[in-house]
Structures are given as C-alpha cells and as structure tokens.
DNA sequence: TCGCACATGTAAATCGTTACATGATTAT
DNA sequence: ATAATCATGTAACGATTTACATGTGCGA
C-alpha cells in the first residue's frame, strides 16, 4: 500500500477494509507492527506528524527506493495459489455430527455475509463511478479486482440459497447418502465441470456456437 | 474427521488433500500435532498399531464420547465468516508497481491452478458416482460441498481468462485509469450486482419471469 | 542394491490474533 | 460534561509453517 502513497497505520487499517482485506485479510494490529519492520529493513521511512492541535503524534510511513525495488522483486516472483478459509463449509462437511438447525444456520450466515459484502462492494463501485474514487489512475486495476470479488461473492450467494433449499428438505443430517436430489446435483456438477474445462481448452474467447 | 472414522496422522493428511483442504487448508504437520492435543484433552483416544511386519508402529486416533459432545457444541456455535487468501489478486492490486509480464504470470498461474483443481475435483466426483466413494452414506453432504467448490473454481477460472485478455491489451501497468474497457466492465459489474441483490431479496427460488 | 517415494513424526522460528491501554474528537 | 467512538498503539499468547530427521517398501 505504501507504493500508492504514504499512510498512517490507522489509515492503512481503513484501507484494508476497503480493498486489501478482500484478498489478504489480516488483524489490524499487523498494520501497526508491520510498517515498523519495514522501517527496520529500510524499505520504508517514518515521519512523526503532530495530530490535532498538539501533544500526540502519529507515525506516517512512506516507501523508500529500496522498498520499491523489493516490491518489484516480489511482484516478479512466483505467486502462491489461492486459499479459501471457509468455516461455514467446514461445518457443512461435518454436519452429520450435529443438528439440522446447525447447518442451516451456517448456510444462512454465509448467505447473509455474501449479501452484505455485495452491498458494501456495490456501494464502493458506485462511488468509484460517480466520483472517480481516491485513486482514479488505478481504476483499470481496481475494477478488475472488483470483478473477481463480485464473481466469488455471487458464487457463494447462489450456492447458499440453493444449499439452504436442499438442506431444508433433509429429514435429518446423517446417513441420507445418495438421495435423488444429490444424484441429480452430482450429475449436473460433473457435466458442467466437463463443459467448463472443454471451454477453457478451446480458449474461452471464441464466440458461442462456433465450432472448433 | 475423527467423527467419521479413526485415522492415523498420515491418513488424515491424505484426507485433507481430498476434502478438508478445500475449506480449511493447513500444513500437514498440524495433522500430526493436533490429534495429540485432542488426546490430552480426552477428546480423542490413541492406539498404537504395528506397521508393516514389525518394528515400527503408528498412532491411530479415534474420537471419544467427550469428543463427539465437543464437536456438537462447536457445530451449534456461531460460524466465522469466510476468508479468501488470494495472493495472485494481491499481485494484481499492486500490479502498477511492476511489469505487465508479472501480472500476466500471476493471472495465468491462477487460471492454471483453477483448471487443475477442477480436473482433480472432477475426477473425485466421477469416482464417487461410479464407486459410491469411501463414505457413501455421506454423499448428500459431499455433493453439496463439491457444489460450492465447483462454483468458486469456475468463478476464478472465468475471471482469470477474461482478466488475461484485458491485461494483454494494456500498453503498460500504471496510470491507465478509467479506460473504455474498464468503464464498460464497471457498468456491467454494478448492473449485475444490483440484479443479483434484487433476486436474493425476492427469494432466489421463484420461477424466472414471475413478478413479485 | 540403490534410489525414490511413501510414511511418520519433531522442533524452532515466525506469523497472527486477541486483549488491553489510552489520548482525542464528536454527539447529545 | 459525559459517553461513545475514533485513533494510535503494545504485549502476551497461541496458531502455523518450514525445515529437519528417519524408517520402510518397491521398482529399476
């Protein structure tokens, strides 16, 4: 974030809620500790600014040339794969050790979460469209970023709605095995996965209906 | 996992690759340490089995009644929200500090990852359909689980293909701002988000085209 | 029989969160 | 003026990963 502009730790926490948190969620305390580490490594420089009208100060951090170089080095390195930490799904996975109400609550909470995140994201996007946002020169990046977040949230929301419907029909949580609904869903999943993989192999970009 | 059946630590690591890892990724060493903690808490019991023909043994862990009770307690508690750790997206977010080749590599790696995960998941699902899988009585859960994973992977894959196409057209990484493509994508995102939210409010399940 | 992958763990170091503490500002 | 919230941090504890260590069976 320091590559964009200098920030105080508190500003970093606010900015994390707006953007970083969608792909790299951390506790806020990290945003207070980590800049100090960067300064120790000479990757950032700190300036103490007076806050308000006097006694207290706050630390404002700015990137250094060495910091930019290190960032470039990192950007050129091999990326790690994505990791999804999805506790509600973990609860579904062992749902047969608990009550129906428990899974339903986990799935319902997921749905609520997805909707709220979408509302929050939508507000931000509308603000960007109207005002240009705080970093208009970065919109080409931000919108692409928002695109993935939106797709992920929609996937979660759509799933949660369907899962809730299906689980509601369960007579209990354990031992149901391959019900008719499950068999149908399984077939659909397999077919759909084949289709998606085939499309990816052909190159996604080709017009629909065009062979080859 | 011990609620399903007893496992050795190594078996737990294999099982994590098959299922748990999709929603709760951890280092394998956890699967060796954590069961010992469970035993110390009397939530699991350990049995030393001879391995191969003699000298060495392995620890096999089984859940206890107290363990089942604790699991039920946990299942009844409030779930934590999902968290996406998405390093390639982090790289996109600061792409304007690096080269075009860097972002393209991050996006390309994402696409490859998604495809490979889909292939792996598809194999598992097909195996389940043909053989019933190792836990046929749990298929109603497993398929619903696979459904979300598939949706997430498809979201990622679709995005990666589109993002790659768009980034390829960038003349450089920084300062492009609101290009025509970005403006169009932003409008699409906003409209689509509105539509999805409206559908969720009306209840997803209603037939398409039916008002109210 | 040599090497490699499978199987079974342990220890140190780091990463990250939760809980606490306290000054400043705003709303009532 | 007082409470609530914003802003700015720190420290202890716990969670996680990385690196190491070593036996075992199998294929070339």
């Amino acid at each position: 974030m320091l590559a964009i502009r200098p920030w105080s730790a508190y500003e970093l926490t606010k900015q994390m809620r707006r953007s970083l948190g969608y792909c790299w969620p951390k506790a806020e305390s990290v945003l207070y500790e980590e800049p100090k580490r960067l300064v120790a490594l000479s990757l950032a420089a700190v300036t103490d600014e007076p806050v308000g009208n006097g006694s207290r100060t706050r630390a404002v951090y700015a990137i250094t040339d060495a910091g930019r170089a290190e960032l470039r080095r990192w950007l050129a390195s091999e990326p790690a794969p994505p990791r999804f930490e999805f506790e509600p799904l973990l609860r579904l996975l062992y749902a047969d050790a608990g009550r129906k109400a428990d899974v339903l609550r986990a799935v319902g909470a997921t749905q609520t979460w997805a909707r709220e995140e979408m509302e929050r994201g939508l507000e931000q996007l509308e603000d960007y469209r109207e005002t240009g946002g705080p970093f208009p020169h970065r919109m080409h990046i931000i919108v692409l970023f928002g695109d993935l977040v939106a797709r992920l949230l929609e996937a979660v929301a759509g799933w949660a709605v369907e899962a809730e419907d299906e689980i509601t029909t369960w007579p209990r949580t354990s031992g149901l095995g391959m019900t008719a609904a499950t068999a149908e869903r399984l077939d659909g999943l397999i077919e759909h996965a084949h289709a998606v993989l085939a499309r990816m192999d052909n190159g996604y970009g080709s017009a629909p209906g065009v062979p080859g």
Side-chain angles (χ1 to χ4, degrees), chain A:
Chain A
M1 278 194 269
L2 299 186
I4 300 177
R5 71 163 177 84
W7 311 78
S8 74
Y10 182 72
E11 288 171 323
L12 288 172
T13 68
K14 273 193 306 187
Q15 184 60 16
M16 181 169 65
R17 274 194 284 277
R18 282 180 69 87
S19 73
L20 231 206
Y22 288 110
C23 63
W24 205 247
K26 297 293 165 207
E28 295 188 350
S29 65
V30 172
L31 282 305
Y32 285 92
E33 284 297 328
E34 190 66 11
K36 294 199 288 195
R37 216 172 64 87
L38 294 178
V39 170
L41 293 167
S42 304
L43 301 176
V46 62
T47 316
D48 270 23
E49 279 187 2
V51 65
N53 57 6
S55 50
R56 210 171 183 179
T57 65
R58 67 176 187 173
V60 174
Y61 300 92
I63 199 168
T64 61
D65 287 345
R68 275 187 204 286
E70 180 58 29
L71 175 57
R72 273 197 301 276
R73 220 174 348 262
W74 177 73
L75 284 169
S77 71
E78 197 62 31
R83 286 168 51 134
F84 297 146
E85 210 169 281
F86 216 118
E87 216 205 64
L89 196 52
L90 183 61
R91 285 157 185 270
L92 168 64
L93 197 50
Y94 302 107
D96 52 352
R99 304 181 167 284
K100 227 179 91 167
D102 299 336
V103 221
L104 282 176
R105 193 147 61 104
V107 171
T110 302
Q111 194 184 324
T112 302
W113 172 83
R115 177 170 24 220
E116 285 171 359
E117 289 293 305
M118 286 180 75
E119 279 164 3
R120 190 161 69 95
L122 180 56
E123 266 179 52
Q124 268 183 233
L125 289 179
E126 285 179 329
D127 178 66
Y128 288 153
R129 184 165 62 176
E130 282 153 34
T131 73
F135 308 110
H137 60 291
R138 284 173 44 80
M139 284 304 287
H140 59 305
I141 288 173
I142 292 166
V143 170
L144 224 37
F145 181 92
D147 191 341
L148 177 52
V149 173
R151 287 175 197 237
L152 290 174
L153 290 176
E154 189 187 352
V156 171
W159 173 83
V161 171
E162 271 198 35
E164 187 172 76
D165 283 354
E166 178 165 333
I167 293 168
T168 300
T169 71
W170 289 358
R172 59 189 180 282
T173 56
S174 80
L176 304 183
M178 185 73 82
T179 66
T182 295
E184 195 182 338
R185 187 179 299 277
L186 178 56
D187 286 345
L189 272 180
I190 290 174
E191 261 187 68
H192 189 67
H194 274 299
V196 170
L197 283 171
R199 233 185 316 157
M200 285 184 85
D201 285 340
N202 288 346
Y204 237 79
S206 63
V210 173

